Amino acid sequence: MASQVTGKPATLLRVLALSAAFLLAAGERVKNKIYDEIQGDMPCFKRFNGTHEIGCTSKFFGNTGVLHVIEEKADFDWVYEHGPHQPYVLAFTPLFLTEAVLERARDSGKVSGVVVVVPEDFDPETQLLDGFSGETECPDDYLGLYSASSNPNYSGYCRRKPWNPNGTSMLYTSWEFPIFLITNQTSVDNIHSCFEKFNKPVNGMPRDWPLCSMELKSNMFGTTNSEVCMRRASIGPLSTDNFCDPLYDYNIWGTLKPMNMSEEIPEKSVIIVAARMDAATMFDNISPGANSAVSGIVTLMSAAAAIFKHKEEIINTSNKNILFILFQGETWGYIGSSRVVWDMEQGQFPYKVKDDVKDQIAQINLTHIDYFIELEQVGQAMTSSQLYLHTDPISNSNSEVKEETDNLLEIFENASDLFDKLNLIPVKEEVPLPPSSIQSFLKRVNISGVVITDHEGEFKNPYYESFLDNYRNVKYEAYSDADLYHKHITNIASLLATAIYKLATNTTKKIEADPELTNELLYCYMKNMTCNLVQENGGDMAKYMESKPAKLYVSVENGERERSYVTMYLMAWLLGDEVKRDQQDCKIESIYNMSQFYYYPRAGNGTCVQSTVRMTDAMSPAFLIDDYDWKSGEYSTWTESGWKLTKVMIFLRPSVLEEVAVVCGGVVSLVLSVIVVHFMNSRADLLFGLSTPPAAC
């Protein structure tokens, strides 16, 4: 027989095993008592282009520091000159979010991280009198039309008269320590409460341990620049983590008339109506872009819906077609528009020719473009009712283009006469275009076009490309009888639709957009993407929307693009005709087909819509060209770093001596435990009165 351990030693082993299990289980509870996890889903993160890196990162295991809440400028001096408990994590409101503050923190050697707290009662209009923009003073200037111009009046214009005077360039700076945005009021209260109780100096004197501390985790995998980062990713599967990914999303577009490959498209027969669809901030998960993007998106969609009601009139009286398009990635070097231009030059817009596809959609190239109308920031003209028409002085030096441009301006001015509350002002001919997608086209072809904005010179938007460019910035009051904003956007959409109708048919007709539709769209994009309009007409991806404003960051190939699919379904609904097909038959044979089919399960058996709307890739041509010169400045080279986890935790930290004492005590306890267990095991027969079991037969 084999020997067995019985009696008290077995009982002892069971007790030890149960004790160990208890300690392991209790360890998790102890951790939960030590650390209080607060909002950590809005970190500043790393991005790269062909020459350098920007953004923020923490160390691999996170950055830890003693919390110090900044309430006035003197608090910074206290930390840097008198604070004895470095490193510190600084917490302050957007009032102190300036380039000088972050540079001093980075260079001091006493700061390991920053949290920007935004209390519910924070009012940027009264507390940020000068505005705040993380963008540069000359957005996208390095990849724009005028960067390589031989005329110094154009190439140096923005340096003399910045479009974005509130620009700080903080979005394009490498900070090398974590920065988090915290908007959750409970988390904001926890930070202030912990600081007041344990850390706030008394009569200028520092408090003693324990001290309230924070741990910020946002370790980024990418490094150096896009060329290095992409090369590391192509070496092989050395890691399951992505070093970086190209910025990538989809352009959403559709035409008024279907375009069949079998029918030749006449030259100069396509009127492009465009707006951009993306915005940016320093932080992840928040990019509202109320004026920088949403004002143009909603105006375009509302105008498209209004003009579509007159589709048959245009088809019967004109050979013109209208292409409505929302460009993605324009914030990061005109990614979407430059990709469309590149595809047109390659003979593959929207797709390459497929011999085996019936009713394939026709290809469009640069020769087909007649006019280009673009909506940039238009939301902050509500009080003045003044809109500005910008044109390109370089292309207008061509007499034929100049004549067409003058005709375009005249059509808009005549259309504005039909709407009492709008005043259109052409900008001086010698002034170059503001940042706009049409510049990608004008770099390749001379076309007549206009960019419609709410500013003549510098931006009226004080929070361009920041988390404060939200519905408050444009004074939108959802579903309020007192709201003037949706009426303002509706008027612009009506003006746009009226001008388009005139361009297409050479006939004047006042076309009015639907104010209810405009209001719904504004509410969805600026306040709540779980709105009824999105849930009913946003397709399968609508169920993934959150009750928050739309996230308008361009993202990466495997990133969050639900709002792109939702926008495509909304556009298809606005530019589509209901057809009698059940859900099973409401599908396309191929994305290359002239028309697409969309199913909307709103009520009963649902609705099937036939539309021309679709999406095409919005990724920079730089990532498609073999041996592309990353430093050439021809195309955008922006990539985004990969990361696994972002987290912010707050906890009480004892003094260093106490931490050392605890560690040493633990080591001594471990050694004594090993000695005691070894002694008891070797003397088990004496201690527990057991005899040696008989040997096996």
Side-chain angles (χ1 to χ4, degrees), residues 542-613:
K543 59 187 176 185
Y544 298 109
M545 294 292 100
E546 299 177 288
S547 55
K548 297 178 181 179
K551 300 175 187 177
L552 297 182
Y553 177 60
V554 62
S555 194
V556 294
E557 185 169 4
N558 295 316
E560 296 182 8
R561 289 197 302 276
E562 290 86 355
R563 61 104 168 85
S564 296
Y565 284 93
V566 165
T567 301
M568 179 181 68
Y569 266 82
L570 289 175
M571 283 273 285
W573 171 60
L574 297 174
L575 291 174
D577 296 302
E578 291 188 17
V579 292
K580 293 182 179 180
R581 292 192 179 195
D582 57 25
Q583 184 174 2
Q584 185 175 357
D585 294 330
C586 190
K587 57 186 178 182
I588 60 170
E589 297 178 5
S590 168
I591 61 171
Y592 303 101
N593 289 143
M594 179 178 62
S595 295
Q596 309 288 288
F597 293 91
Y598 298 84
Y599 184 75
Y600 300 87
R602 288 192 286 267
N605 294 326
T607 303
C608 184
V609 169
Q610 181 178 359
S611 178
T612 62
V613 171

Side-chain angles (χ1 to χ4, degrees), residues 57-299:
T57 184
S58 73
K59 297 176 182 177
F60 185 79
F61 292 107
N63 287 29
T64 302
V66 173
L67 171 66
H68 196 89
V69 174
I70 304 295
E71 296 175 339
E72 56 185 5
K73 289 183 179 180
D75 294 335
F76 288 108
D77 296 330
W78 188 93
V79 169
Y80 299 131
E81 298 172 11
H82 307 292
H85 303 307
Q86 65 184 51
Y88 286 92
V89 170
L90 304 182
F92 47 73
T93 69
L95 176 64
F96 298 109
L97 184 58
T98 67
E99 192 173 18
V101 165
L102 293 184
E103 285 178 347
R104 188 182 182 190
R106 180 188 60 192
D107 299 338
S108 69
K110 298 189 72 171
V111 175
S112 60
V114 166
V115 291
V116 181
V117 294
V118 186
E120 288 180 348
D121 60 353
F122 180 78
D123 183 4
E125 190 167 333
T126 58
Q127 298 184 49
L128 291 173
L129 299 179
D130 296 330
F132 168 74
S133 169
E135 253 287 357
T136 64
E137 291 186 340
C138 301
D140 281 332
D141 190 52
Y142 67 105
L143 283 174
L145 172 66
Y146 307 105
S147 61
S149 173
S150 59
N151 189 325
N153 292 329
Y154 306 146
S155 61
Y157 179 85
C158 185
R159 288 189 293 274
R160 297 190 304 273
K161 298 180 179 180
W163 291 109
N164 184 34
N166 290 316
T168 63
S169 298
M170 285 196 293
L171 180 60
Y172 296 92
T173 304
S174 181
W175 297 110
E176 298 305 331
F177 58 65
I179 305 174
F180 279 78
L181 181 70
I182 297 178
T183 59
N184 178 274
Q185 187 59 41
T186 301
S187 295
V188 172
D189 292 341
N190 286 346
I191 289 172
H192 283 278
S193 174
C194 196
F195 174 75
E196 292 282 341
K197 187 174 181 180
F198 296 100
N199 294 19
K200 189 171 185 176
V202 179
N203 297 323
M205 299 301 295
R207 302 276 284 272
D208 201 1
W209 302 93
L211 294 171
C212 185
S213 300
M214 296 187 77
E215 182 176 86
L216 311 179
K217 289 185 177 180
S218 61
N219 180 246
M220 302 286 123
F221 302 143
T223 184
T224 311
N225 56 50
S226 291
E227 182 179 10
V228 171
C229 204
M230 295 295 290
R231 184 168 64 239
R232 289 183 178 183
S234 65
I235 290 174
L238 300 178
S239 170
T240 57
D241 302 319
N242 286 341
F243 291 104
C244 61
D245 298 288
L247 297 189
Y248 179 98
D249 211 304
Y250 296 110
N251 295 319
I252 312 299
W253 64 274
T255 55
L256 190 69
K257 305 177 187 178
M259 300 181 299
N260 196 316
M261 178 65 77
S262 62
E263 300 174 3
E264 183 178 354
I265 300 177
E267 290 189 1
K268 298 181 72 65
S269 65
V270 176
I271 301 167
I272 293 181
V273 182
R276 68 167 174 147
M277 194 178 167
D278 66 296
T281 70
M282 285 181 63
F283 307 99
D284 189 31
N285 276 321
I286 182 168
S287 47
N291 194 41
S292 63
V294 174
S295 65
I297 293 171
V298 174
T299 302

Side-chain angles (χ1 to χ4, degrees), residues 320-454:
K320 304 287 187 183
N321 203 347
I322 299 137
L323 187 154
F324 297 95
I325 185 165
L326 296 172
F327 292 117
Q328 281 280 16
E330 298 303 274
T331 303
W332 302 98
Y334 304 121
I335 292 174
S337 57
S338 65
R339 177 58 184 272
V340 169
V341 173
W342 189 78
D343 283 341
M344 286 183 175
E345 291 181 323
Q346 299 296 314
Q348 57 185 35
F349 182 82
Y351 308 110
K352 292 181 179 179
V353 175
K354 298 288 183 180
D355 296 332
D356 57 342
V357 177
K358 296 179 180 179
D359 295 326
Q360 181 172 345
I361 185 171
Q363 290 184 324
I364 303 175
N365 60 49
L366 297 174
T367 67
H368 295 139
I369 301 174
D370 189 17
Y371 291 100
F372 195 111
I373 302 168
E374 181 171 354
L375 297 155
E376 273 297 323
Q377 303 178 84
V378 295
Q380 284 171 318
M382 181 173 62
T383 54
S384 65
S385 297
Q386 290 183 340
L387 292 174
Y388 296 90
L389 305 179
H390 301 258
T391 58
D392 170 43
I394 295 178
S395 60
N396 284 339
S397 62
N398 179 300
S399 59
E400 183 180 346
V401 173
K402 178 68 164 61
E403 183 179 348
E404 293 174 347
T405 301
D406 289 342
N407 177 55
L408 180 60
L409 294 177
E410 183 180 356
I411 286 174
F412 267 101
E413 290 174 20
N414 290 338
S416 69
D417 292 339
L418 303 176
F419 300 92
D420 297 333
K421 297 182 179 180
L422 286 176
N423 181 24
L424 295 185
I425 303 174
V427 176
K428 295 178 181 178
E429 293 183 359
E430 64 270 18
V431 175
L433 291 170
S436 48
S437 303
I438 191 177
Q439 294 190 35
S440 296
F441 290 80
L442 291 173
K443 287 167 73 173
R444 302 294 187 180
V445 63
N446 273 350
I447 53 176
S448 58
V450 63
V451 178
I452 306 173
T453 72
D454 57 18

